[in-house]
Amino acid sequence: MGKSVYSLVLNDDIVEYVDRLAYDKNTNRSNMINQILAEYFSLVTPEQQTREVFDRIEQILNGRGTLRLMMSPSDTMMSLRSALMYKYNPTVKYSVELYRNEYPVIGELRVSMRTQNNTLILYMMQFFKLWMQTESRYIGATEYSIEGGKLCRKIKLRINNNSSSARLNSSTLGELIAEYIGAFDKAMKIYFSHIEDPTLASHEISRVFEDYLKRSPEII
């Protein structure tokens, strides 16, 4: 669904109501008008599809009580936080950004920790590398980068052995992203609880990833 620039003459009172609604929805005037017209004509915009994905992610992860939604910085991005029960109780931030009209890479997941403690950052980097090595062992190489205590991983639909198609609706895509983040978060907390025993930590992380694969007919 492409976009073009149009000039419209609108009543000031109508624009005021649109702006209020846009503020409540954390979006801008143009996108709000676009959504209103799309709803009127029973059309589904990319923004609505993205919102459905994010709503499903929030519903699943909030229901588990392990992650909490943060203020969304834009229509194409959502952020969640997780408390890590370790020294200084650092907060881990997960940011999900979905691209518009791109396939098979449909977005990216970024993970970072709010801390200035160099030891914690080093441990986090070690976990990132261990997790990505585990992924590579089970599903092959994924596109990612690790730098400065942050992980950026591309979201790309992959067909698991139990799947017949990688093309999904918004709700199912939200479920897959939520399952991945949930598994990642669980593995991270296990890693830090076994920080003094790397062999045990690696074994437990593999077990978490195996469980994730069993739950997800499609994977990201």
Side-chain angles (χ1 to χ4, degrees), residues 18-96:
V18 170
D19 287 346
R20 289 178 185 175
L21 185 58
Y23 178 82
D24 291 339
K25 298 291 186 179
N26 192 32
T27 189
N28 55 54
R29 178 189 296 167
S30 295
N31 188 45
M32 194 69 255
I33 293 174
N34 193 63
Q35 291 183 29
I36 292 170
L37 292 175
E39 183 176 349
Y40 181 84
F41 291 109
S42 299
L43 298 173
V44 179
T45 66
E47 291 79 10
Q48 288 173 315
Q49 292 175 330
T50 298
R51 185 68 262 162
E52 290 174 3
V53 173
F54 290 163
D55 287 345
R56 188 59 178 145
I57 294 173
E58 180 185 359
Q59 181 183 24
I60 293 173
L61 294 180
N62 271 351
R64 296 178 183 178
T66 56
L67 294 102
R68 290 289 181 268
L69 183 68
M70 301 173 65
M71 179 66 70
S72 298
S74 71
D75 295 326
T76 60
M77 183 181 297
M78 75 176 300
S79 297
L80 304 120
R81 60 180 173 86
S82 177
L84 185 61
M85 302 302 292
Y86 195 69
K87 297 177 182 178
Y88 315 112
N89 296 319
T91 297
V92 178
K93 179 182 177 182
Y94 297 90
S95 295
V96 179

Side-chain angles (χ1 to χ4, degrees), residues 123-202:
Y123 283 149
M124 197 66 168
M125 294 281 282
Q126 290 174 344
F127 167 70
F128 288 160
K129 292 176 181 178
L130 180 56
W131 177 260
M132 299 314 299
Q133 289 169 0
T134 304
E135 279 201 2
S136 179
R137 189 167 69 251
Y138 283 95
I139 65 173
T142 53
E143 187 178 349
Y144 70 93
S145 62
I146 299 173
E147 184 178 359
K150 299 179 181 179
L151 168 68
C152 179
R153 180 193 184 279
K154 299 298 183 182
I155 298 174
K156 178 180 180 180
L157 293 177
R158 298 163 177 258
I159 302 177
N160 203 348
N161 293 333
N162 299 324
S163 172
S164 59
S165 173
R167 293 190 176 275
L168 309 167
N169 60 38
S170 299
S171 179
T172 307
L173 178 57
E175 292 172 9
L176 294 183
I177 295 175
E179 288 295 341
Y180 180 87
I181 294 175
F184 185 102
D185 192 66
K186 181 178 180 180
M188 177 188 64
K189 291 172 180 175
I190 288 175
Y191 174 81
F192 276 91
S193 67
H194 297 296
I195 201 72
E196 304 300 332
D197 191 343
T199 301
L200 178 59
S202 179

